[in-house]
Amino acid sequence: MTTILEKMGGSRAHAARLRDFLHDVAGSTACEEADRVREALILLPGGGSDGASGLDYPRIEAMLECGATLNAVLEIVGPDAALMLSRGSNAVCLATVVPAGAPEEAITDGPTLALAVLAGHVSGVVAHLERGDVEPETPEMPAIPLSLRLH
């Protein structure tokens, strides 16, 4: 079995870039959320439009273009992640993200729900990179997209 870090060429620098990206997400405004999602698509393991990550980049871009940023982030996070979202009256959004097969959750905040979920997902990826975890097996994709199953 290959670790995520080995798939990325063993680059600890990549984990550092993702940590820097998390700081950018935390300092972003609502009007910058689509740009942060596009950056995440490039920075995450298997990122880029070559299809290596299994993501449908044109579909995600279409979501971003029509303002469905949260749906685009849910597409990135994947259908088997567990999520809990909260938005306070002081414009701070909280997200708890538990990736499929992960041993622990990431609790993050952001200026929008989409950025909070994105930060939680990226935090989980950074934790995997830094621990050198073995990548969990990818379960079968359910017929219903995560955006429709979100409660």
Side-chain angles (χ1 to χ4, degrees), residues 107-138:
I107 301 171
T108 55
D109 63 21
T112 67
L113 290 172
L115 289 175
V117 172
L118 182 62
H121 177 67
V122 172
S123 293
V125 170
V126 170
H128 280 284
L129 288 172
E130 290 177 339
R131 286 191 311 257
D133 288 348
V134 173
E135 194 169 357
E137 294 295 321
T138 305

Side-chain angles (χ1 to χ4, degrees), residues 36-106:
R36 294 295 91 80
V37 173
R38 289 181 182 104
E39 289 174 42
L41 287 170
I42 295 167
L43 290 172
L44 288 168
S49 58
D50 59 1
S53 65
L55 294 175
D56 185 348
Y57 287 86
R59 178 180 165 154
I60 293 171
E61 185 58 38
M63 290 177 193
L64 295 174
E65 287 296 320
C66 70
T69 312
L70 182 57
N71 287 6
V73 171
L74 293 174
E75 190 77 19
I76 294 168
V77 170
D80 294 323
L83 303 169
M84 185 170 57
L85 304 173
S86 173
R87 180 174 47 204
S89 60
N90 56 354
V92 174
C93 299
L94 300 174
T96 302
V97 180
V98 183
E104 59 193 43
E105 76 243 358

